[in-house]
Amino acid sequence: MNEKSNIAGLDNANYALERLREFIAVSAFGRDGKLPTERTLSERLGAGRREIRRALEVLEAEGLIWRRQGAGTFLGQKPDSWGDHAASLVPGTNFMEIMEVRLRIEPQLAQLAAMRAKPSDILRMRETCAKIYERTDADWRELWDGSLHRLIAQSAGNQLFLSLFDVVNRVRQDPSWQAVRERARRLDDTLKESRDQHAEIIDAIAARDPSKAGEAMRNHLLTLQERLIRQTSMDHLDHGSKGEI
């Protein structure tokens, strides 16, 4: 009797894990990537709360989610504690400062990823890259774009670099920064160019070509920087024409 119960429990946990993977793959989350509560997940997915909790433990061990006591469950890797200090940097930071830092560290992270990324890391990069372009809403694209860049940073295998990346990534999650990025996307047809650039970065990492990976990342960020400069210039002209200074 007990043996049958244990087998049934295992089957339920496997079912919950499969449903959770499907749920994460097709669902849109807020800017913070917060998942519903265990109780809500249990009701939506038709699995017991104990099985949901066990499945979440597996996803956390895989690095797909992280949990904070009293705060909830969140998509992606657990932020480094340095990220908690980034909020105070937002009011005094402009997009040029963010881009200057990104251009200094992310090409190097891509180079290290080309040397150290595991095949499973590269597979996750490709899957995450595909997620970016599944939907058109800004929250979705920001969430998965940030996830892809963090996967590359994580694959570099340097904890100090990853901590620095998390600080910058926390700043760029500010709503005002995201609003500028979204307006910049609408200047022209940038979707295909962005997709191609992301694919080029991942292909170079998969080919174990540090030089090409670093250059591809640098070109991607320079393209983004140019779009942001154009957008902020347009914003300035719009404000000026309305008498807003």
Side-chain angles (χ1 to χ4, degrees):
M1 183 70 177
N2 289 338
E3 183 178 352
K4 290 183 179 179
S5 298
N6 288 338
I7 293 175
L10 179 61
D11 288 341
N12 287 338
N14 285 332
Y15 170 79
L17 180 59
E18 181 180 349
R19 293 300 309 279
L20 271 172
R21 291 191 193 280
E22 294 173 353
F23 175 76
I24 289 174
V26 302
S27 299
F29 301 96
R31 288 190 177 93
D32 60 358
K34 187 174 182 179
L35 274 67
T37 63
E38 291 181 1
R39 181 175 183 176
T40 301
L41 288 171
S42 174
E43 294 172 352
R44 287 189 185 180
L45 304 182
R49 290 184 66 179
R50 183 178 66 175
E51 285 70 33
I52 290 291
R53 191 174 299 114
R54 288 177 177 175
L56 289 172
E57 289 175 359
V58 173
L59 294 180
E60 185 174 23
E62 293 177 355
L64 297 179
I65 62 168
W66 63 279
R67 293 183 284 181
R68 177 180 292 165
Q69 185 69 31
T73 303
F74 301 86
L75 191 67
Q77 292 282 328
K78 183 175 182 179
D80 187 272
S81 58
W82 285 24
D84 294 335
H85 303 295
S88 63
L89 301 176
V90 173
T93 303
N94 59 50
F95 84 88
M96 282 299 293
E97 292 175 332
I98 295 173
M99 292 308 305
E100 286 172 0
V101 176
R102 292 188 70 186
L103 279 163
R104 296 302 181 274
I105 66 173
E106 290 198 53
Q108 280 67 40
L109 286 167
Q111 289 179 352
L112 290 172
M115 299 165 59
R116 300 171 179 171
K118 301 173 183 177
S120 58
D121 295 329
I122 296 169
L123 177 60
R124 287 175 62 194
M125 289 178 202
R126 295 195 189 280
E127 292 173 344
T128 302
C129 184
K131 297 292 291 185
I132 299 172
Y133 306 100
E134 283 185 2
R135 302 189 185 186
T136 57
D137 64 274
D139 284 345
W140 176 275
R141 288 188 295 203
E142 284 292 334
L143 175 67
W144 290 102
D145 181 84
S147 179
L148 173 61
H149 281 263
R150 195 181 191 281
L151 277 172
I152 294 170
Q154 183 182 358
S155 299
N158 184 306
Q159 186 59 45
L160 182 55
F161 254 146
L162 183 59
S163 297
L164 293 172
F165 174 89
D166 280 339
V167 171
V168 177
N169 203 40
R170 178 74 174 273
V171 174
R172 70 187 281 261
Q173 290 171 6
D174 181 72
S176 59
W177 159 261
Q178 293 188 5
V180 173
R181 279 173 56 94
E182 181 58 23
R183 290 198 299 274
R185 288 192 183 102
R186 297 171 184 166
L187 287 175
D188 44 39
D189 186 13
T190 62
L191 194 63
K192 183 179 185 304
E193 183 179 29
S194 178
R195 187 200 299 263
D196 290 345
Q197 289 177 345
H198 280 145
E200 185 179 3
I201 294 166
I202 298 171
D203 286 345
I205 292 172
R208 305 300 179 188
D209 189 334
S211 178
K212 189 173 182 179
E215 187 62 23
M217 178 64 80
R218 178 175 174 79
N219 288 338
H220 173 59
L221 295 175
L222 285 172
T223 300
L224 173 59
Q225 184 182 53
E226 180 182 357
R227 291 176 192 156
L228 292 170
I229 291 172
R230 289 171 59 195
Q231 179 57 50
T232 52
S233 297
M234 291 174 63
D235 289 346
H236 179 71
L237 290 174
D238 288 342
H239 290 322
S241 65
K242 297 175 184 177
E244 299 175 9
I245 300 177

